[in-house]
Amino acid sequence: MSTDAQNTQQTAPGAQATYDLTLVVPCYNEADNIPLFYKTATECFENAGVKLEIVFVNDGSQDGSAQLLRRVVETARGRHAVQAVTFSRNFGKESALYAGMQAARGGAICLIDADMQQTPADALRMYRLLMESPDVDCVAACQVQRKEGFVLKLFKRAFYRTFNGMADDIAIPANVSDFRVFRRSVRDALLALPERERFSKGLFAWIGFNTLEVPYEAEQRAAGKSKWSFRKLFRYAATGIFGFTTWPLKVAIWIGSLCAVAAVVYLLAVLGEYVLYGTNVPGYPSLACLILLFGGLQLAVLGVIGEYLGRDYIENKRRPIYLAKEHLDSTQE
């Protein structure tokens, strides 16, 4: 299998589940963590008697992850169910999650990172909670105490407040991560959403379903450094805002209306001063300031409109969310 279309045919929504649980593990330059994750996960779920499948998605790594995953799949043959999907280039974590969910054959699916900050033991605990709660469709891990800098915490807090204040029909709980265990019906609903600019937290909120939040404490990375820079986080936050609300456009309308009212008030003040006192208001400084002000505001409003148009342009191309150049499966010859 080498394309997402083929993967879709293989594991179409509603297909019969083959395993109890599928771990979807996006990997970007995680060669140092993959062997430890595989060993820990298989031992943890074997001891618990859970029929497990692991889907590693290599998101265009440059550190030898592809070769390592080939060895992992070969090692797993006859012992464990392991798939390895390798992208043709780096498409991003959201695309990797989508590919992993497409390939998943479990009755429940868990989204988990390979860096061991989110442990298989926590995933097992969440899976058991899901199985014990028939009315719950999704168990989401909530990071109670974040081990982050003050500026990053402030930025994330501001984002959640801004997003939830703007979005009309959904709300994202603060500190709830993509680390989740959910039923196959939730997976089918997520795969039915066709957008290319994906924002998982918003998508989970939009589809609904009953979600149980459970606290967890993130561990230290087993190896390597986080791939999320402040710039990438800012772009990801912008994707969420532009993908789930039109409030930036409404703000642009308000700004334009206020500027128009302010211009009329200023004009009346100038005319009144001239009629009542005969004062000639100096023209050049005030004119230059107004030109700069309104010119800047117009460019800002055009930028907001352009952002929406650009995203609509990309979506209408209907390009695939990802391209896979290799798809290995330890259960197949």
Side-chain angles (χ1 to χ4, degrees):
M1 298 286 177
S2 60
T3 66
D4 70 11
Q6 289 171 311
N7 291 340
T8 304
Q9 292 174 0
Q10 179 184 354
T11 57
Q16 184 67 32
T18 309
Y19 302 93
D20 296 332
L21 175 68
T22 296
L23 299 182
V24 173
V25 191
C27 305
Y28 179 62
N29 294 338
E30 297 286 0
D32 293 334
N33 293 317
I34 290 172
L36 176 61
F37 181 91
Y38 168 68
K39 180 177 182 294
T40 305
T42 52
E43 290 178 354
C44 176
F45 285 91
E46 275 182 354
N47 295 334
V50 176
K51 193 176 181 183
L52 178 69
E53 175 188 46
I54 304 177
V55 179
F56 291 102
V57 184
N58 176 22
D59 186 20
S61 299
Q62 303 297 320
D63 64 345
S65 292
Q67 295 84 350
L68 177 60
L69 286 173
R70 292 190 193 107
R71 292 198 297 270
V72 169
V73 171
E74 286 301 319
T75 301
R77 289 192 187 280
R79 301 173 56 201
H80 306 114
V82 177
Q83 297 186 63
V85 181
T86 296
F87 287 175
S88 60
R89 65 169 177 85
N90 178 247
F91 283 89
K93 183 179 179 180
E94 291 289 341
S95 297
L97 294 177
Y98 185 89
M101 287 190 291
Q102 275 192 322
R105 296 171 294 194
I109 292 88
C110 173
L111 308 182
I112 185 170
D113 293 338
D115 56 15
M116 297 300 292
Q117 285 189 296
Q118 303 163 350
T119 67
D122 282 326
L124 175 60
R125 176 171 62 94
M126 293 162 63
Y127 171 74
R128 284 172 170 165
L129 283 173
L130 183 67
M131 294 298 101
E132 293 167 0
S133 309
D135 294 333
V136 173
D137 303 298
C138 176
V139 177
C142 180
Q143 194 169 340
V144 177
Q145 184 159 358
R146 290 184 172 273
K147 301 173 183 178
E148 299 168 338
F150 174 76
V151 175
L152 188 56
K153 286 182 180 179
L154 189 65
F155 171 76
K156 289 186 176 181
R157 189 179 301 117
F159 165 73
Y160 284 115
R161 288 181 179 177
T162 302
F163 184 95
N164 291 332
M166 287 181 173
D168 296 326
D169 55 351
I170 63 172
I172 300 177
N175 299 324
V176 173
S177 69
D178 292 331
F179 183 26
R180 300 167 186 251
V181 179
F182 47 89
R183 301 186 190 278
R184 197 169 182 84
S185 57
V186 176
R187 170 258 194 194
D188 293 346
L190 290 169
L191 292 182
L193 303 179
E195 58 251 49
R196 271 58 184 162
E197 294 285 337
R198 303 182 71 81
F199 180 68
S200 288
K201 291 181 175 63
L203 295 177
F204 274 107
W206 189 87
I207 63 174
F209 291 93
N210 294 331
T211 300
L212 173 66
E213 297 175 18
V214 296
Y216 92 105
E217 185 173 351
E219 304 293 336
Q220 293 293 329
R221 286 181 61 92
K225 296 181 180 179
S226 173
K227 312 306 185 298
W228 285 99
S229 64
F230 188 83
R231 178 171 171 269
K232 288 183 178 179
L233 285 172
F234 186 84
R235 289 179 59 187
Y236 188 58
T239 297
I241 290 175
F242 285 110
F244 286 89
T245 178
T246 58
W247 265 82
L249 293 173
K250 297 175 183 178
V251 171
I253 294 173
W254 293 344
I255 291 176
S257 301
L258 289 174
C259 288
V261 171
V264 171
V265 171
Y266 180 72
L267 176 62
L268 293 176
V270 170
L271 291 176
E273 189 172 359
Y274 177 75
V275 170
L276 295 176
Y277 305 105
T279 303
N280 290 322
V281 179
Y284 176 75
S286 57
L287 182 62
C289 290
L290 288 173
I291 290 174
L292 291 174
L293 172 64
F294 289 110
L297 289 174
Q298 287 173 347
L299 289 175
V301 171
L302 286 174
V304 172
I305 296 173
E307 187 68 30
Y308 279 98
L309 288 176
R311 291 171 184 272
D312 185 60
Y313 171 72
I314 296 298
E315 290 288 340
N316 284 328
K317 286 177 178 285
R318 310 305 298 169
R319 289 173 178 167
I321 296 174
Y322 69 91
L323 291 174
K325 68 177 183 180
E326 186 175 60
H327 186 172
L328 304 176
D329 187 347
S330 68
T331 65
Q332 298 178 0
E333 296 297 332

